[in-house]
Amino acid sequence: MSEKYLIGVDGSEQSRVALAWGLARATERGASVELIHVADDSFLSESVAFLSEAQQASEQMLQAEMAYARELGFAGGITGSAVVGHPIAEIESASKRADLVVLGAHQGGRFSGSFFGTRAVKVAATSHCPVAVIPQVEARPNAPVVVGVDGSDASKRAIAFAAEQASLREVPLVAVYAWMPPLTPGLEYLWSEELVESQRAAAEEAIAIGVAGIAHRYPDLEVRREIVQSSPVAALVQAAEHAELLVVGSRGRGGISRLLLGSVSHGVLQALPCPVVVTRG
């Protein structure tokens, strides 16, 4: 069964950057595409007339973006959904039938474009599949794919996703493990050189375990290991400044916790040094 990409559209420049990115990757993968436009009903009147007009406007927006997708030259299968509702809930539901959700990166107000920007963090936390958030940055052909490693099951899934992407694009995979000694005011003296070395050794072991098996599955893939004594967010953002893609794992799990991303995935989505994919964890 071929993959399916769900791409959020709202007609803005940012959303069209994400649309182009998603269509390009769908073409590479032979994936089908579903465009979705959500008219946020949180500020609409509940009257039938207002909701009907919102639905019509949503459908018009969707048709325009489907036409734009064809103008970009996308020749694969494409469908669309135009809905009125709560954006996070609608995307969460739609993500059940997708292999990847693609959103543009917006900043600013509550209305035009705000859903696929400031709310992208919540979408990444609640989605049932990986979420790609695409900023407006220059294309970086032949640049590496960067992935965050921390030894968790979530990061293992991120590594698997990143390795596949790097192999497909024939670019290096950069696996970054960042660590910092806990800094408790007044207790810094407890951190001897021996203890720091043991932490560094533990980091080397963790990154070795994290990338184990990649060489066997992708024998031609160049894997670079970077162990950085820095905060994870700062290390990943710096490493991704010249990357094509940054992949991190989500710590979201059932119930209320699904509304919360791990601090690292949340942090890189705020910085967005390049397209970022948050995998499910």
Side-chain angles (χ1 to χ4, degrees):
M1 181 180 296
S2 65
E3 295 181 344
K4 182 177 183 178
Y5 291 0
L6 180 73
I7 307 177
V9 295
D10 64 10
S12 67
E13 182 180 356
Q14 295 95 328
S15 129
R16 287 193 165 184
V17 168
L19 176 57
W21 188 95
L23 293 176
R25 274 139 192 83
T27 298
E28 292 174 350
R29 300 284 293 182
S32 62
V33 167
E34 177 183 348
L35 306 189
I36 183 168
H37 179 265
V38 183
D40 190 345
D41 66 358
S42 62
F43 57 89
L44 296 173
S45 166
E46 294 184 359
S47 73
V48 174
F50 272 96
L51 293 177
S52 177
E53 289 184 8
Q55 181 65 44
Q56 291 179 19
S58 183
E59 291 173 356
Q60 290 174 358
M61 173 65 69
L62 177 66
Q63 292 303 315
E65 294 310 287
M66 291 184 70
Y68 181 71
R70 291 305 189 192
E71 290 175 12
L72 291 176
F74 183 66
I78 185 168
T79 58
S81 297
V83 296
V84 178
H86 189 284
I88 307 303
E90 295 295 342
I91 289 291
E92 177 183 7
S93 178
S95 72
K96 295 177 182 178
R97 57 181 183 264
D99 296 287
L100 180 69
V101 171
V102 181
L103 304 176
H106 294 76
Q107 303 293 332
R110 177 183 181 184
F111 298 102
S112 177
S114 65
F115 160 46
F116 295 118
T118 57
R119 295 183 184 175
V121 171
K122 292 182 180 179
V123 171
T126 59
S127 175
H128 295 268
C129 66
V131 174
V133 183
I134 314 303
Q136 289 181 286
V137 296
E138 293 184 2
R140 300 167 184 170
N142 303 317
V145 173
V146 174
V147 62
V149 179
D150 66 6
S152 67
D153 289 340
S155 79
K156 291 177 183 177
R157 281 182 279 272
I159 293 168
F161 184 97
E164 183 181 20
Q165 292 296 311
S167 176
L168 175 68
R169 313 191 73 69
E170 298 181 340
V171 299
L173 174 67
V174 180
V176 178
Y177 188 106
W179 68 281
M180 291 187 69
L183 299 177
T184 303
L187 298 180
E188 293 86 352
Y189 68 93
L190 294 176
W191 281 89
S192 64
E193 184 62 29
E194 292 78 9
L195 192 53
V196 170
E197 283 300 323
S198 70
Q199 291 294 310
R200 188 175 294 114
E204 291 174 354
E205 180 181 8
I207 199 170
I209 293 174
V211 300
I214 289 179
H216 177 72
R217 186 169 185 179
Y218 305 105
D220 297 327
L221 177 61
E222 177 186 353
V223 180
R224 303 172 187 170
R225 306 179 186 183
E226 294 187 3
I227 297 176
V228 184
Q229 188 172 339
S230 172
S231 72
V233 172
L236 289 171
V237 169
Q238 182 174 6
E241 286 180 352
H242 302 290
E244 178 180 355
L245 184 69
L246 171 60
V247 183
V248 292
S250 166
R251 298 302 181 87
R253 290 182 172 84
I256 295 177
S257 65
R258 292 187 62 227
L259 298 177
L260 303 175
L261 284 183
S263 59
V264 174
S265 47
H266 187 281
V268 298
L269 284 179
Q270 295 297 318
L272 283 176
C274 67
V276 172
V277 172
V278 180
T279 59
R280 295 309 306 158

